[in-house]
Amino acid sequence: MQLTINKSRLMKRLSELARIGAFSDGGVCRLALTDEDKAARDQVMQWMKDLHLQTHIDQVGNLIGVRPGAKDIAPIVIGSHIDTVPTGGRFDGAAGVMAGLEAIESLNEYKIQTERPVAVVTFTNEEGVRYHNDLLGSRAFCGYISPEEAYKTVGTDHTIFGEELKRIGFAGEFPSGSIRPHAFLELHIEQGPVLDREQVSIGVVEAITGIAWYEITIQGEANHAGTTPISMRQDAGLTAARIITYLREIANSLGENQRATCGAISFYPNAINVIPEKATLSIDLRNPDKTTLEEAEQRLLDFLEKCTIQDNVQIETQRLAWVEPRACHTDIISTIIEATNELGYSHKTMVSGAVHDALTMASYCPTGMIFVPSKGGVSHNPAEYTSADELEAGANVLLKTVLKLSQQKM
Ligand code: GLV
Ligand code: MN
Ligand code: MN
């Protein structure tokens, strides 16, 4: 008998979750540790309890639901996130957590006793939008960042991570870093155009991009827009513009996998007739190859130095995040491919240009990722869309992979 998940149950949970923090255009805003995030967490906890899982909230607010195995040995962990970007869609992150719950409900329904425990985890602050310490939950889960360090993180709205975690009631006591999975699996929407364009059902991720985040503060001098001769200006706005343009040069010169983005910028005093005294911009650099990513960073830093001389400004650089690119585990990749073939779905191996909690987990335990198509490759956008059939296929592959891995004794 072929075990399969229940598509309507999966979609029902996904729609219910998407109501929390919903916009009228179908989008979702659930920034980490906001009231919307709290409401979504309450809902996920309730679902975990309904599935009779042993639930834990760890010290950084990761939600963990464990279905015991025949033996009390290292679990198979399925995980993703439910926080979103400010104008997010309903699938990024949520699809993985809902597929995890659905896989577990299917195990319950078929009364399957797995050898290993199977757990589902919702990681805190994957997106890193409100707290730039991105992938925070998964990094704490692996013991790469201590709860104390996480608590000190200051948000873009000047809130403190530790205080907000307490305020929403999710500062748990379960020690972060105390579970080492036998394997970690994350189902996620591709967030790129490849599977949709090629009409392939399943993306099997071979490697996940590395990422470097910077905040750049340019200090010039405010002065009159009309009277200050161009040659006498210390125009922080001009330098910001040069940097943004240079990012595209970095991307164009380092091969097709190099990404470089300025996603946020602010000027001070931000007035029409005042030369900007200060400009603050965010920079996101990515590459699945570590050496090339480092090369991109070095080029950026060299360029900033040139700008300070050319524009007579000062530049302060803060590296907000750096995560090395990682390959997924070859055994897990083959297990996912085997499961996909047995189910009769088409597949393609690919590299992830988005970062995921699986990137953190890949340096901690054998890790695999299952991608499902994103219509038109659109993501971090309310128009993000994956059909019920596509999600069903992904969740079936997840279930089958879990079944295979959870029977492994070694
Ligand atoms: C996460 O969504 C990222 O890739 O920025
Ligand atoms: Mn995501
Ligand atoms: Mn995202």
Side-chain angles (χ1 to χ4, degrees):
M1 184 185 57
Q2 187 85 269
L3 298 189
T4 52
I5 61 101
N6 181 322
K7 174 169 70 173
S8 55
R9 223 166 37 196
L10 168 65
M11 296 314 288
K12 185 162 178 281
R13 283 204 189 94
L14 200 54
S15 308
E16 279 177 31
L17 193 69
R19 278 197 219 118
I20 306 174
F23 293 117
S24 54
D25 61 2
V28 179
C29 178
R30 263 194 323 259
L31 298 181
L33 311 191
T34 54
D35 292 347
E36 291 74 22
D37 187 24
K38 175 194 163 32
R41 287 160 170 274
D42 287 339
Q43 176 63 83
V44 170
M45 282 302 274
Q46 189 53 53
W47 283 329
M48 285 180 173
K49 287 180 181 144
D50 294 346
L51 296 180
H52 313 293
L53 303 183
Q54 297 166 351
T55 58
H56 309 285
I57 302 172
D58 82 359
Q59 292 164 295
V60 299
N62 291 323
L63 313 181
I64 305 164
V66 184
R67 183 178 190 269
K71 300 214 174 80
D72 188 15
I73 49 178
I76 305 303
V77 175
I78 308 164
S80 200
H81 61 100
I82 56 169
D83 65 318
T84 71
V85 296
T87 52
R90 48 170 58 200
F91 302 95
D92 175 3
V97 177
M98 297 306 101
L101 291 173
E102 177 51 37
I104 286 184
E105 182 148 18
S106 303
L107 295 178
N108 288 354
E109 191 178 43
Y110 291 109
K111 298 191 172 32
I112 291 171
Q113 168 81 82
T114 55
E115 192 73 11
R116 294 181 176 277
V118 178
V120 60
V121 178
T122 301
F123 293 111
T124 298
N125 192 45
E126 188 270 352
E127 294 287 6
V129 170
R130 188 175 181 212
Y131 300 99
H132 281 166
N133 223 334
D134 71 332
L135 305 174
L136 184 149
S138 48
R139 286 192 291 123
F141 188 92
C142 300
Y144 298 159
I145 175 174
S146 68
E148 293 70 30
E149 199 184 334
Y151 296 154
K152 289 188 220 145
T153 310
V154 180
T156 49
D157 54 1
H158 309 293
T159 53
I160 309 292
F161 181 93
E163 289 172 10
E164 283 291 273
L165 188 64
K166 259 199 212 131
R167 182 187 70 80
I168 65 163
F170 279 89
E173 287 178 358
F174 188 81
S176 301
S178 60
I179 298 176
R180 189 175 287 263
H182 176 69
F184 175 77
L185 294 169
E186 182 168 6
L187 175 144
H188 205 284
I189 56 167
E190 180 201 338
Q191 305 183 278
V194 179
L195 296 175
D196 183 42
R197 195 177 55 209
E198 298 183 13
Q199 294 289 294
V200 172
S201 302
I202 301 294
V204 183
V205 177
E206 288 180 308
I208 308 169
T209 190
I211 190 164
W213 275 1
Y214 287 89
E215 183 174 270
I216 310 280
T217 309
I218 306 157
Q219 187 69 49
E221 188 180 65
N223 212 334
H224 198 288
T227 61
T228 317
I230 295 292
S231 62
M232 289 176 66
R233 295 182 179 208
Q234 291 174 265
D235 183 344
L238 174 70
T239 311
R242 282 194 212 285
I243 296 169
I244 293 172
T245 312
Y246 186 68
L247 289 180
R248 185 59 63 94
E249 274 182 46
I250 293 182
N252 285 341
S253 60
L254 287 178
E256 59 164 359
N257 285 329
Q258 181 63 47
R259 308 277 188 264
T261 308
C262 167
I265 185 163
S266 66
F267 284 164
Y268 178 82
N270 206 30
I272 190 164
N273 55 357
V274 184
I275 297 165
E277 171 183 316
K278 192 163 128 178
T280 309
L281 52 156
S282 69
I283 291 182
D284 174 316
L285 298 174
R286 303 182 188 214
N287 201 300
D289 177 67
K290 183 175 172 228
T291 315
T292 318
L293 180 59
E294 285 167 347
E295 169 69 22
E297 290 185 278
Q298 195 51 53
R299 286 194 192 184
L300 172 68
L301 298 178
D302 292 346
F303 184 75
L304 296 181
E305 211 166 296
K306 262 205 231 149
C307 287
T308 55
I309 299 160
Q310 186 178 3
D311 297 340
N312 193 20
V313 293
Q314 282 166 351
I315 301 181
E316 218 178 273
T317 307
Q318 200 191 345
R319 185 149 91 165
L320 301 172
W322 197 88
V323 189
E324 211 174 291
R326 285 278 165 191
C328 289
H329 196 283
T330 48
D331 293 351
I332 312 285
I333 293 173
S334 353
T335 311
I336 295 172
I337 292 176
E338 208 176 274
T340 307
N341 288 338
E342 283 170 19
L343 287 158
Y345 299 128
S346 54
H347 81 271
K348 182 181 175 74
T349 51
M350 57 200 308
V351 168
S352 172
V355 295
H356 299 287
D357 293 306
L359 173 60
T360 322
M361 298 303 292
S363 58
Y364 187 58
C365 64
T367 290
M369 276 201 94
I370 299 161
F371 273 178
V372 289
S374 293
K375 187 162 188 250
V378 176
S379 186
H380 281 186
N381 182 321
E384 193 174 86
Y385 179 76
T386 303
S387 73
D389 288 350
E390 290 166 332
L391 285 164
E392 179 189 30
N396 275 331
V397 172
L398 177 70
L399 173 62
K400 208 164 186 65
T401 308
V402 166
L403 276 168
K404 287 173 183 286
L405 295 172
S406 62
Q407 305 304 358
Q408 286 177 358
K409 302 198 171 82
M410 296 300 291

